[in-house]
């Protein structure tokens, strides 16, 4: 099975900061990655799919990049509403796997 | 409006069974691939099962042989039958719609329900 490592596990940043979250797979992923945001007590929300495609309605300050074994979610200018936990997700051989999550706090 | 509403959660003893339902509105349950994803208290997301539009199903190893995903197109509803429940199955259970792109599956989940809580104790 492919192992996924998401980093950092926690992150504290200020409004206006550029924030980067990384996910790394134990072997090359030939299928697509996705990123989600989850706020406490709420369902996850799809942000990015196909590594870099922005889901409808998601602000353009969110972007995704990378390929192969590592992908990155970037928030170009952090806003107060961006707090929450972020998860990467990949698909391989009829199985979907989520990263462990990155909890983002606003300073 | 596209919406997923889960019901059926509750408190159940170890070894018991429970059936979760996910009522679908705004699209046809069989037109998309659909999954169940769970989240144990204070933990991350765990995918547990998928049913593709053609009816093929797959499961995470943690629930294989105990859980069964199905759908009823006449009721436009997705189900998760959970048997032989364990304490470690305690979680919020979400149903989620698979993202469809023009030419293939998007391998992501674009619509989620609000979740239903299952407590095994």
């Amino acid at each position: 099975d492919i192992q996924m490592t998401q980093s950092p596990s926690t992150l504290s940043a200020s409004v206006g900061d550029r924030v980067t979250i990384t996910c790394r797979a134990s072997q090359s992923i030939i299928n697509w990655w996705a990123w989600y945001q989850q706020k406490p007590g709420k369902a996850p929300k799809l942000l990015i799919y196909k590594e870099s495609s922005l889901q409808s309605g998601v602000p353009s300050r969110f972007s995704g990049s990378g390929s192969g074994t590592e992908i990155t979610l970037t928030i170009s200018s952090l806003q107060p509403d961006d707090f929450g936990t972020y998860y990467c997700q990949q698909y391989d051989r009829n199985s979907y796997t989520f990263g462990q999550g990155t909890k983002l706090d606003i300073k | 409006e596209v919406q997923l509403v889960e019901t059926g959660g509750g408190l159940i003893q170890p070894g018991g069974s429970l059936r979760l339902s996910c009522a679908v509105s705004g699209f046809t349950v069989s037109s998309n691939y659909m999954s169940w994803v769970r989240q144990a208290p204070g933990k991350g997301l765990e995918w547990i099962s998928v049913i593709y539009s053609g009816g093929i199903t797959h499961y995470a190893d943690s629930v294989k042989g105990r859980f069964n995903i199905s759908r009823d197109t006449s009721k436009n509803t997705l189900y998760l039958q959970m048997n032989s429940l364990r304490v470690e199955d305690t979680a919020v259970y979400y149903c989620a719609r698979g993202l469809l792109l023009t030419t293939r599956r998007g391998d992501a989940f674009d619509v989620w329900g609000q979740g239903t809580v299952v407590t095994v104790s």
Side-chain angles (χ1 to χ4, degrees), chain A residues 24-67:
Chain A
R24 189 170 291 112
S26 57
Q27 61 191 75
S28 181
I29 303 293
I30 62 172
N31 296 298
W32 292 333
W33 293 81
W35 287 97
Y36 301 83
Q37 177 196 60
Q38 186 181 33
K39 297 195 173 183
K42 300 295 186 183
K45 172 186 174 183
L46 178 64
L47 301 174
I48 302 284
Y49 63 92
K50 216 169 84 173
E51 278 102 43
S52 59
S53 296
L54 198 64
Q55 174 68 347
S56 176
V58 174
S60 59
R61 63 181 179 273
F62 291 92
S63 64
S65 64
S67 63

Side-chain angles (χ1 to χ4, degrees), chain B:
Chain B
E1 180 191 5
V2 173
Q3 194 174 12
L4 305 175
V5 178
E6 303 97 332
T7 56
L11 175 63
I12 188 79
Q13 291 185 337
S17 297
L18 210 55
R19 189 178 81 158
L20 306 182
S21 299
C22 171
V24 172
S25 55
F27 68 99
T28 304
V29 68
S30 57
S31 65
N32 277 78
Y33 57 111
M34 300 288 296
S35 268
W36 289 95
V37 177
R38 69 184 180 184
Q39 186 168 37
K43 302 296 184 182
L45 302 171
E46 179 189 14
W47 172 83
I48 56 174
S49 184
V50 65
I51 182 167
Y52 293 119
S53 55
I56 293 174
T57 60
H58 294 281
Y59 301 90
D61 288 343
S62 58
V63 304
K64 199 172 293 182
R66 300 188 299 124
F67 289 12
N68 184 68
I69 189 172
S70 64
R71 66 193 180 204
D72 184 335
T73 54
S74 67
K75 296 181 179 179
N76 214 27
T77 299
L78 178 74
Y79 300 102
L80 184 69
Q81 177 66 42
M82 305 186 295
N83 300 324
S84 303
L85 282 161
R86 305 167 180 168
V87 171
E88 55 264 36
D89 294 320
T90 294
V92 176
Y93 284 74
Y94 296 100
C95 62
R97 184 181 79 169
L99 175 69
L100 282 180
L101 304 178
T102 305
T103 57
R104 56 162 283 179
R105 297 196 317 259
D107 294 336
F109 303 107
D110 63 343
V111 180
W112 295 66
Q114 84 289 349
T116 188
V117 178
V118 173
T119 303
V120 185
S121 177

Side-chain angles (χ1 to χ4, degrees), chain A:
Chain A
D1 288 354
I2 294 176
Q3 306 302 314
M4 292 169 57
T5 304
Q6 188 173 337
S7 61
S9 55
T10 61
L11 178 59
S12 185
S14 300
V15 172
D17 283 353
R18 182 181 181 87
V19 169
T20 298
I21 299 170
T22 298
C23 246
R24 189 170 291 112
S26 57
Q27 61 191 75
S28 181
I29 303 293
I30 62 172
N31 296 298
W32 292 333
W33 293 81
W35 287 97
Y36 301 83
Q37 177 196 60
Q38 186 181 33
K39 297 195 173 183
K42 300 295 186 183
K45 172 186 174 183
L46 178 64
L47 301 174
I48 302 284
Y49 63 92
K50 216 169 84 173
E51 278 102 43
S52 59
S53 296
L54 198 64
Q55 174 68 347
S56 176
V58 174
S60 59
R61 63 181 179 273
F62 291 92
S63 64
S65 64
S67 63
T69 61
E70 185 172 303
I71 62 162
T72 299
L73 174 70
T74 299
I75 307 173
S76 60
S77 179
L78 195 66
Q79 299 301 303
D81 190 50
D82 296 338
F83 75 93
T85 302
Y86 291 81
Y87 295 93
C88 60
Q89 173 249 306
Q90 67 87 29
Y91 165 82
D92 182 63
R93 285 176 287 184
N94 300 310
S95 177
Y96 300 81
T97 307
F98 292 91
Q100 308 96 308
T102 295
K103 186 177 181 181
L104 173 59
D105 293 321
I106 310 295
K107 285 182 184 174

